[in-house]
Amino acid sequence: MQSVARPYGQRPFPLPKFVSIHSVSFLIQNALLITANANDDIYHGDLLIEGSHIREIGKVSRPAVRTLDATGMWALPGFVQTHVHLCQTLFRGLADDLELLDWLQRRIWPLEAAHNAASLYWSARLGIAELLKGGTTTVLSMETVRHTEEAFRAIEETGIRAVAGKCIMDVGDAPAPLQEESGSALEESLALLRQWNGRADGRIRYAFAPRFALSCSREIMEEIGRTAKKSQTLVHTHASENKKEVELVRQQTGQANVEYFRSIGLTAPNLFLAHCIWLNDREISILRETETRVTHCPSSNLKLASGIADITRYKKEGLVLSLGADGAACNNNLDMFQEMKFAALLQKILHGPTALPARDVFRLATIEGAQALHCEGEIGSLEAGKRADIVIFDPRDATLWPNHDVYSTLVYAGRPQNVRYVFVNGQLLVERGRLACQEEEEVLRKSEEALTELLPRAERLGFR
């Protein structure tokens, strides 16, 4: 399988100001280890974190600076979400009960167009806080057209692992602040790539993010494909989410979404397509042949009434799959436990009760998400030598008891409230269910202030 190379230009950076250094050496003892390794091993043992990596797993006798007795708790790999919009977290509850294209034109585009640097920063900070508290340690995020550097600043400061990119929109009828000339859109994207790709010890990576076929000219899509291959960078876009969208793409291009992307040289192992609900047989074959990635977002698809992606068929066809919550404006949360549960339940409606069992869904949320991002050698499972992206989950709760099967408990009953500790790159970011390196009250206050100032701007730009 072709693999995207490691980001170039990596160099050490100082620890961000919000990140603790307590986990330079951290011993987690007596946990039930749900490894998500090749054998799906589950056993009681210890984890030794040194610096940013898991140094030992199993029975560890070496001392550490800090020790956590995890007796009765479970250690699992951090969740990997491959489609979110940090820029939309402020818009939770402002775009309900609409289908996709109305949702975009009447609510999301005016709201995104109203972002300034401060509101984008606090939207990202709020989204990251929710993600970390829910056990998500890695995201692939599409931002909006302007102020993407503020999202990267939030990512760097808060310690989450992320692949993110500036949204590109060079055609269509979006509000003026979301319209841009093709050349300047690419120039800004390349500047962000140079500035952010590989920063923070490789924890931050860049992805080109053309919004979808209806918002991007053929010329810019072709150039993104060429540039991404040359720079070995991911491309993150939407496809075949909504029937009307599919019809409009066919009217404009003469082809279905994936067929169009294939014709312009975009389908490849570095391309992520969010949703992919309405695919024809030829498109499924193209995705398999080109190893193009598909991100399933079940809650968003339900709330926007977009449809149900046939993930069971896609798995049988050999497509590369992963999960994402989408945005807080269409979900309305960033909860991977919810996405796992809905992913499983929806396939049972389509194919019967044995379709997509809990263990398979858990792998989609962990190691297979890492594989989709071409970083399974670093994250996605609990193994010595991998990055220390670890979640400590406490199942000792009346809503989860008894725990006959770990995968059943996590997928069908798990909740963010049961996440007790979260490490990313060896840094302790959630401790006893609270953000360890951020002031949550400040995030809530500042994000509310930013939204209060944003809404009048959005109304002037057509929000209704």
Side-chain angles (χ1 to χ4, degrees), residues 291-303:
E291 298 179 18
T292 297
R293 277 56 176 142
V294 172
T295 303
H296 181 37
C297 306
S299 296
S300 171
N301 296 162
L302 286 172
K303 186 163 180 287

Side-chain angles (χ1 to χ4, degrees), residues 86-88 90 115-125 143-144 146-152 154 450 454:
L86 292 175
C87 65
Q88 293 179 9
L90 283 188
H115 262 311
N116 60 18
S119 61
L120 196 289
Y121 173 79
W122 287 109
S123 184
R125 284 285 304 274
E143 304 313 326
T144 189
R146 314 289 178 187
H147 311 297
T148 301
E149 66 281 356
E150 294 300 319
F152 277 114
L454 180 147

Side-chain angles (χ1 to χ4, degrees), residues 201-249:
D201 189 29
R203 180 169 54 78
I204 300 173
R205 294 164 59 193
Y206 191 79
F208 291 98
R211 185 157 220 139
F212 64 161
L214 298 177
S215 291
C216 297
S217 65
R218 182 186 186 97
E219 293 73 21
I220 203 168
M221 284 293 216
E222 289 175 335
E223 185 59 33
I224 288 169
R226 288 190 292 268
T227 304
K229 286 182 175 68
K230 183 178 179 181
S231 61
Q232 297 182 308
T233 305
L234 300 182
V235 179
H236 178 201
T237 188
H238 302 83
S240 304
E241 180 178 359
N242 171 280
K243 283 185 175 180
K244 186 176 180 181
E245 167 222 340
V246 171
E247 292 169 3
L248 290 172
V249 170

Side-chain angles (χ1 to χ4, degrees), residues 260-289:
Y260 169 61
F261 289 151
R262 173 68 173 267
S263 73
I264 60 177
L266 207 58
T267 50
N270 69 329
L271 176 64
F272 273 80
L273 299 180
H275 305 298
C276 289
I277 299 169
W278 303 105
L279 300 178
N280 61 39
D281 292 345
R282 176 59 182 150
E283 290 180 292
I284 293 172
S285 296
I286 291 170
L287 294 175
R288 180 183 64 248
E289 293 163 6

